[in-house]
Amino acid sequence: MKERTLAIIKPDAVKKHVIGDIIRRYEEAGIPPIALKMMTLSKDQAEGFYAVHNARPFFQDLTTYMASGPVVVLALEGENAIKVNRDLMGATDPKKAETGTIRAAHGASIEANAVHGSDASETAQVEIAFFFPELKS
Ligand code: CMP
């Protein structure tokens, strides 16, 4: 099933100059971007985006980190895009991520883990609408 997912190339990956490597992986996996932009999130935007995590102990650190430098936000589209992207990313903690995944290659810590990807169809829709309200299905 053709679907869409939201990805963010996080500040650590932008600083390491691996935007190109990460986008190449999306393209080669058959989930190329259909919309993308580079931006620096405000703390409010980061808190709004990660609102589902607002009761977690890492919420303040996470949102401060995500607002600490430029990110690249992408809407990806392709067959089974959500699962394909989750498999490409690897486990949240780069130390546990499988060899060959984006987080194993580029992640430094559970916070600076190179990329975000939507975890389910409902969150993908909400997350895409958050950054690309103009994008029609
Ligand atoms: P992400 O996929 O962007 O979704 C939420 C983020 O919270 C996650 O990746 C991690 O970078 C970050 N995070 C920080 N600490 C934790 C933790 N203990 N458990 C899960 N996620 C964490």
Side-chain angles (χ1 to χ4, degrees), residues 98-111:
E98 303 73 6
T99 306
T101 61
I102 295 171
R103 284 166 170 162
H106 301 309
S109 68
I110 198 162
E111 183 172 275

Side-chain angles (χ1 to χ4, degrees), residues 50-63 92 110 119:
Y50 280 117
V52 292
H53 295 306
N54 67 7
R56 309 286 287 273
F58 55 82
F59 182 69
Q60 283 306 324
D61 283 350
L62 168 65
T63 53
T92 305
I110 198 162
D119 63 359

Side-chain angles (χ1 to χ4, degrees), residues 9 24 27 64 73 91 125 132 137:
I9 303 177
R24 177 187 57 76
E27 291 177 329
T64 297
V73 187
Q125 282 177 32
F132 300 106
S137 48

Side-chain angles (χ1 to χ4, degrees), residues 4 6 29 32 58 62 65 67 75 80 82 87 95 97 113 117 127 129:
R4 290 176 182 172
L6 191 281
F58 55 82
L62 168 65
Y65 172 66
N80 298 314
I82 296 167
D87 290 348
K95 288 195 288 292
N113 64 351
E127 290 180 0

